[in-house]
Amino acid sequence: MNGRSLGWSLAASACALRRTPASESGRASLRRMLVVVLIAILGQLAGRVGAADVLSLSFGKDNAPFALPETLEGISFDILRQTLGREGYLFKPVYVPYERRFKVYKEKDLDVLSEARPESVALYQLDGFLSVPAIRFDNVAVFLKKNRFSITRTADLAKHSVISWQGAQYVMGDEYAAMVKSNKRYQENSKQRAQVMMLFAGRVEVLHIDTSIFAYWRNQVGKTTDIDVWQDIETYHFGEIYFNYLFRDRQVRDLFDARFKELRERGDYARIYQKYTVLESKPEAPRENAQRTR
């Protein structure tokens, strides 16, 4: 019996009690019925509360503003909160180095993997069901203007030292993979704060990164180090690439897909990205001393 049926049973029993003649035995019988129905309703409600589903999920560290472990926020987290969270799901995040999240999903039997791609699922032989493309990254190659590099296509990167995020070589397409194969100075790591520092300190010539992540760490590094992060830059735009969530359960995936469609339709998807858009906070140049008044 569901909650609505139990509710009707309780209401009907209450009405019957009011209409029952003042027979002690009859009224006692109905009281017992009311108690049984009430216990059933409370038991069902308690069962619902106790059975609240908690989804364990894997995020990459050093991936702000997509994942912010300190505040349990970020673009990737907020998308889940505003879709499955509205269906009563709770979340238990696990933060690991970016590429290691695939192994953690597999070894610890987690419920959800954030920022998955069909290529990665095949590479690591992961079980699960991919969502619709849901997490947007805007990929650029960033280089210092003073170096006067001519980078107008992906193949041009083969002539330069390049650092990128873990797994880029598997999901950026054939031209990118060919560049990686021919470039002995190409490297990947998960520490994107360090990547930004390396670019502006002159330790690497080109940084491949998402625009939101770059803006976030440029501001953070500028505020906390002596590195000049406000040097003029140039960019080569690879284009947007979308990542999926990988769900262990097909029904949860299907529910996410349906709620994600609604998220986009009501404009909240765009608002999530706007929330985490970091405006560059380049310090103002010192003004000339004002003329002294006579």
Side-chain angles (χ1 to χ4, degrees), residues 61-108:
K61 291 196 302 185
D62 297 312
N63 197 32
F66 288 85
L68 299 167
E70 300 83 4
T71 58
L72 297 181
E73 293 181 309
I75 293 170
S76 298
F77 208 154
D78 282 13
I79 291 172
L80 288 172
R81 275 207 177 108
Q82 295 199 32
T83 51
L84 294 179
R86 294 191 174 192
E87 295 296 320
Y89 283 92
L90 304 176
F91 306 100
K92 182 181 178 181
V94 177
Y95 297 94
V96 295
Y98 195 72
E99 193 70 3
R100 181 166 168 71
R101 71 194 192 284
F102 300 113
K103 294 181 180 179
V104 170
Y105 170 83
K106 189 174 185 177
E107 293 170 357
K108 295 192 175 183

Side-chain angles (χ1 to χ4, degrees), residues 230-284:
W230 302 113
Q231 302 172 61
D232 291 335
I233 61 170
E234 293 183 305
T235 60
Y236 165 71
H237 191 222
F238 294 105
E240 293 181 349
I241 182 172
Y242 281 80
F243 283 71
N244 316 65
Y245 294 94
L246 181 65
F247 291 92
R248 190 77 63 180
D249 185 278
R250 183 195 291 270
Q251 290 184 330
V252 179
R253 189 279 310 270
D254 291 346
L255 180 61
F256 171 82
D257 284 354
R259 297 299 172 263
F260 180 75
K261 183 175 182 291
E262 296 171 359
L263 182 77
R264 299 199 75 152
E265 289 174 348
R266 65 175 182 260
D268 286 342
Y269 181 74
R271 280 188 279 274
I272 289 174
Y273 274 85
Q274 291 168 2
K275 173 183 175 181
Y276 293 100
T277 297
V278 177
L279 299 178
E280 294 187 350
S281 56
K282 181 177 180 179
E284 294 183 4

